[in-house]
Amino acid sequence: MSPVDLHVHSTCSADGASRIAEHARRAEALGLAEIGFCEHVDFDPRDSGYGYIDLARYDRELALARSLAPWVRLRQGVEITYQAALEDEARTWLAGHAWDYVVASVHLVDYADGWALISEPRSVEDYFATHSQRQAYVPYFEELLRAVRSGLGDVLGHFDLVKRYGTGLFGPLDPAVFAAEIRAVLRAAVEEGVALEINTSGLRQAPGEPYPGLAVLRWYRELGGDLLTVGSDAHHVDQLAAGVKEALALAREAGFQSSVTFEERRPVWTKLL
């Protein structure tokens, strides 16, 4: 019944700042029952994390951490950058290892005039500033729908990450403006049995709310969604479990009574605190 953080990155990810063992010891100190590592896997050479992950190292560091912090369950997952054009490559790569769970996220958007890594600051100049809000956001939600339909992920990561840098130009995201696109993704997630993540990193960033916020969580619940995960998206040990309690309160407000973690790609249910 202790809090769980299912979205943690270590130095096994290109942008991670703390080792797996550091996160494990910190989790034990915080009284967390479980944390899940979902190291970045990027298949596009344009992505700064392309080719970085070393599975042998990942396995080795996780085994060490389990010996150092035996009272914390450590799940092994990956966060893939979903791209429809590279779906077959991702499917083949994922089949080569046994995972507890796979997070499918959209970080990179291709559009008519180019491409953008919307999770990096440079996207403000090369994407958001050159497109209207609708031109910038709709391709993201369309790719998110393809990610759900692909069946590659057990969890849909940071649902509306597009607002991270879009907020600075367009103001807070009003889900009603994109209701058709958002509901299509949520409906597909329910149909495919893909969990929706409450990613608390948005509380530390410009949006000032998780990815997604309360309105989207309520829509997901109303559509029959009941698979919910919570993660801090920690890249440094100091961020571990940050915002998780707030996310659990938001989940309760949206009508959820349980969240899930994963073991061997099967959901494990936990009552909300």
Side-chain angles (χ1 to χ4, degrees):
M1 297 298 291
S2 301
V4 169
D5 187 342
L6 212 63
H7 196 132
V8 182
H9 294 283
S10 75
T11 51
C12 290
S13 290
D15 56 359
S18 302
R19 299 178 74 89
I20 289 178
E22 293 178 275
H23 281 295
R25 286 193 292 261
R26 177 61 175 162
E28 195 169 47
L30 291 172
L32 300 182
E34 180 176 330
I35 59 175
F37 294 94
C38 50
E39 307 297 358
H40 286 296
V41 183
D42 304 299
F43 302 99
D44 193 319
R46 299 173 296 182
D47 197 302
S48 56
Y50 175 72
Y52 182 85
I53 192 165
D54 180 338
L55 288 182
R57 173 191 171 190
Y58 188 10
D59 288 341
R60 185 171 59 250
E61 293 200 12
L62 189 64
L64 173 62
R66 283 173 170 154
S67 70
L68 296 173
W71 305 112
V72 182
R73 288 187 299 275
L74 304 181
R75 304 295 192 190
Q76 186 178 33
V78 285
E79 179 184 16
I80 64 167
T81 294
Y82 175 83
Q83 293 171 263
L86 299 175
E87 186 175 308
D88 290 342
E89 183 176 344
R91 195 179 310 280
T92 299
W93 189 91
L94 288 170
H97 194 286
W99 305 107
D100 282 317
Y101 64 108
V102 174
V103 179
S105 299
V106 175
H107 300 106
L108 191 150
V109 175
D110 282 294
Y111 55 96
D113 302 322
W115 63 281
L117 277 165
I118 61 164
S119 57
E120 294 188 359
R122 59 178 175 172
S123 62
V124 176
E125 295 182 1
D126 67 14
Y127 186 61
F128 294 108
T130 58
H131 293 79
S132 69
Q133 186 186 40
R134 189 152 194 87
Q135 290 171 330
Y137 283 26
V138 168
Y140 171 84
F141 288 123
E142 290 176 342
E143 188 77 339
L144 209 61
L145 178 58
R146 288 188 282 269
V148 174
R149 292 296 191 195
S150 74
L152 291 175
D154 307 297
V155 181
L156 189 60
H158 41 61
F159 184 87
D160 46 11
L161 179 68
V162 70
K163 71 188 179 188
R164 176 176 180 179
Y165 294 108
T167 294
L169 287 174
F170 308 124
L173 171 64
D174 178 1
V177 175
F178 300 95
E181 292 82 6
I182 290 173
R183 285 182 177 272
V185 179
L186 296 175
R187 191 174 296 109
V190 173
E191 293 170 355
E192 301 291 339
V194 176
L196 182 66
E197 175 189 66
I198 304 180
N199 187 303
T200 66
S201 65
L203 292 168
R204 309 188 297 270
Q205 297 164 356
E209 66 173 10
Y211 307 110
L214 181 59
V216 174
L217 290 172
R218 282 176 168 160
W219 287 353
Y220 176 61
R221 189 73 193 97
E222 290 166 2
L223 289 166
D226 60 357
L227 294 170
L228 194 71
T229 69
V230 179
S232 66
D233 213 332
H235 285 68
H236 186 280
V237 69
D238 290 344
Q239 298 169 337
L240 187 66
V244 165
K245 290 184 178 179
E246 292 88 337
L248 294 174
L250 204 65
R252 288 193 296 272
E253 187 175 353
F256 292 90
Q257 297 182 352
S258 302
S259 64
V260 296
T261 63
F262 286 86
E263 183 175 0
E264 296 180 350
R265 306 201 67 173
R266 294 190 298 269
V268 179
W269 298 85
T270 304
K271 289 187 64 176
L272 291 180
L273 299 176

